[in-house]
Every structure is written in structure tokens, then in C-alpha cells.
Amino acid sequence: MSDSLGLYLHIPFCAHKCNYCDFLSSPMSYEARKRYVDALCEELRYVAKSCKERRVDTIFFGGGTPSILSSEAILQIMTTIYRNFSVSKDAEISIEANPGAFARETCETWAYAGINRLSMGLQSACNEELKLLGRIHSTEEFLESFLMAREIGFSNINVDLMCALPHQTPEKFYGTLETVASLSPEHLSVYNLIVEEGTLLAKWVEEGRDLGFPDEDTERQMYHETRRILAKHGYERYEISNYAKKGYECKHNLRYWERKDYLGVGIGAASLWEGKRFSNTVDFERYVSLLLEGESKDDFVLAKLRENEEVLTKEDCMAEFMFLGLRKIKGVSQEEFYKNFDIPMDSIYHDVIERHVKLSTLQIQGDALSLTEYGLDVSNSVMADFLFD
């Protein structure tokens, strides 16, 4: 077991629900946000008691829109973490931020509090596409926020982008890539838009509105061209949807793909902790009242807070090692598999591996088993074959 630990902090607030968003988030009042932050800090104090021997080396504020929190709230959370956990001096501490939605003073507070990685949700550099997505910022506001963060001293910035948007042509998408890459952020995440059930976008589809989504061949063309364009600007693809300049891979996300322990704090936050997976209640009032008005016994509060607890079997852990690890371009290590499970990978997955090597979806290069270029195109079906029935 590693002595390191990651913390994920879920901030379920936003100024406006985007048309494609199915995340656990919504607009709420300042008072509701304040109560939530108090409860979140209380949960941090609870969980820290079981982590005294662990060193926190990644922290991630996700949401929702964490940048909607006041400077005082961010300082309160970070102070609680520093007082209750052992945080590495070189810890990667990330916050998601909406362009145009934070002031210079707020950004300076993040840096003062130790936050050293900014993840900006641009999605598109085309204002018409942003309006269709329901984003409340413009490309110009993104540029202003990006340059302000650079002036303040942020030297590790990620930009989130989406492709296969309504009425998006390849040329428009490549223009977004070129615009953003020319700013030289250290990291780029590029995701295909998925129409999720319950979103406004899904409602429009059900109503039969002509949204002009790119066809499958065009979508695949955009997917492949992304790698070429970003490689030209010095980015290396290290995961299915993630690109980084050398040394700037997201350490927190790598923790997920490499099955290292992390604790999720906040409503709906998921955890992987000492062979168990569990998540917190998604009920806002239940979460806040349990932590601010609940019993004093730590185990009682955490037991009431947590749901969907699953003790992972050896087979579960092996399957996760494979289908999460294969998301990385370098793939999975046969040596690491043996170290983790005391059994050769080939003795468990020989037939699956052999079949996919013949199909040219998997390749073996030295110690590593990884997806081929074709395998990356059909990655979901390949990784599904590593699940146990």
C-alpha cells in the first residue's frame, strides 16, 4: 500500500446549468454555499483522523464550478487541509475555474493558498458554439482570464475543450485547437460531447430539433486530427482524452487511472480507499445536517454519510487495473500487474489479449500492453472484455 493520498473536493455550485451538463451541481445562494463549506471542512477533519500516516500529494477542487466560491471559502478549506493532513511540499493542487467568472483578487488568493494548477473550462473558442452549449463566457473573456492567471504566476494551466458539438465543422474545431494551443497552456483535455439523459440538450434531441451534429466519420476525423495539431505545438497524448507538455501530466487524474488511493469529500464524491470504493450521499441537506448537526462519534457520521460501499475482490482489482490502465497511451505494465496480484497477467487474460492482438486493437511492446491507434478508436469495447462476468 502506498503512503500517498489524493483528495478530491466536490463543489456542487454553478452560476448557470449548462445545456449539456449532468454533473451534480446547481446554482445556490451565498448562505447555502457557506453552510456547505462549513460541512465540507468538518468532513475533512473527520476523514483526516484515518489518514495520519498518509501524505497528500494531489488535491483537486472539482464541480460544479469551484471558482464560484469566495476567497474566504477557499482559504477556509485550504487552511483546514493544512491543519489536518500532511501535505507534500510539491503537491499538485488544482482548481476548476470558469473563464470570465473570477476576479484578479480571487486568483491571487488561490496562489496564496497554495493552489498551483488551474483548469479552465473553455470548451470552444467559437462564441456561437459557446451559446449553444449554454456557457456564460465568451472567447474574449477566456483570453483575459488566461492572461491574468499567467501574470499572477500560474505556470500550470489546463484548458478543457469539446468536439463534435452542434453545427460544428472540422474547420471550426481545428480553429479552436490552434487558438488555444498558440497560448501554450501546459495541458489540454479534449472530450467528445456526449448527450446525457436529463440535460437540456437531450430534451432538444427528443423534440426533434435539428442540432447538426457531425456524423461518425467526421467525428473520427476530428479525433485523429487533434493529435496531429497538438503534437505540432509540443503536446504529447498520454491518455485517451488528455494531452500535456513534458512533465505536466495531471498527477491527480493519473492517480485514478493507476488505482492509487484517493478520498472524495463533499456530496456525491467517490473514493477508493484501502480496497473499498464508496461515495457520499447526493442529498445536500442530509450532507450538511449530518456534519453540522450530527452525532459526535466519527464512525457514526461517516457511516451515515457514505453510500454504495463495495469491498473489492481480487478479480475486481485486476479488472480495474486493466480497463483503467489501458486508458493511458503507454498502457499497463505486466511487471506491475505481477507485483500487485502475485500472478502473471497472461495467466488471467491470455485469451483476451491474444484475440485483441490479432484484431490489431492491442499491442505488446516490451513489458507494456497498450491500445493501438485502431484500439483507441474502439477503446470501450476493448476494455469491456477485461471485465469478469
Side-chain angles (χ1 to χ4, degrees), residues 60 92 94-99 102 116-123 142 145-146 149-150 154-161 180 183-191 230 235 238 241-245 248-250 253 257:
F60 197 102
E92 176 193 87
S94 307
I95 188 168
E96 292 181 340
N98 263 3
F102 56 90
N116 51 30
R117 184 175 183 272
L118 197 58
S119 183
M120 300 182 68
L122 172 59
Q123 313 312 349
F142 160 75
S145 295
F146 184 93
R150 283 291 198 226
F154 278 92
S155 58
N156 191 356
I157 300 179
N158 167 64
V159 179
D160 282 344
L161 298 174
V180 176
L183 295 171
S184 202
E186 285 67 34
H187 191 284
L188 283 160
S189 298
V190 187
Y191 302 101
L230 294 184
Y235 295 92
Y238 71 98
S241 302
N242 287 274
Y243 301 77
K245 294 196 171 180
Y248 286 96
E249 297 84 0
C250 180
N253 284 345
W257 302 319

Side-chain angles (χ1 to χ4, degrees), residues 40-64:
L40 185 141
C41 288
E42 193 65 20
E43 186 187 358
L44 281 167
R45 284 187 279 269
Y46 276 128
V47 300
K49 294 174 183 179
S50 62
C51 308
K52 292 300 183 186
E53 306 304 316
R54 298 295 194 99
R55 184 187 73 259
V56 175
D57 57 14
T58 67
I59 301 170
F60 197 102
F61 285 80

Side-chain angles (χ1 to χ4, degrees), residues 184-232:
S184 202
E186 285 67 34
H187 191 284
L188 283 160
S189 298
V190 187
Y191 302 101
N192 279 19
L193 174 65
I194 298 174
V195 179
E196 300 286 0
E197 188 177 343
T199 63
L200 185 57
L201 207 56
K203 182 184 176 186
W204 289 346
V205 171
E206 290 167 6
E207 291 172 349
R209 287 182 57 170
D210 179 18
L211 296 177
F213 287 108
D215 60 36
E216 191 173 317
D217 288 341
T218 303
E219 190 175 323
R220 185 173 289 111
Q221 174 193 338
M222 294 157 76
Y223 178 79
H224 286 290
E225 194 68 7
T226 298
R227 184 173 186 175
R228 189 194 67 77
I229 291 172
L230 294 184
K232 181 182 69 174

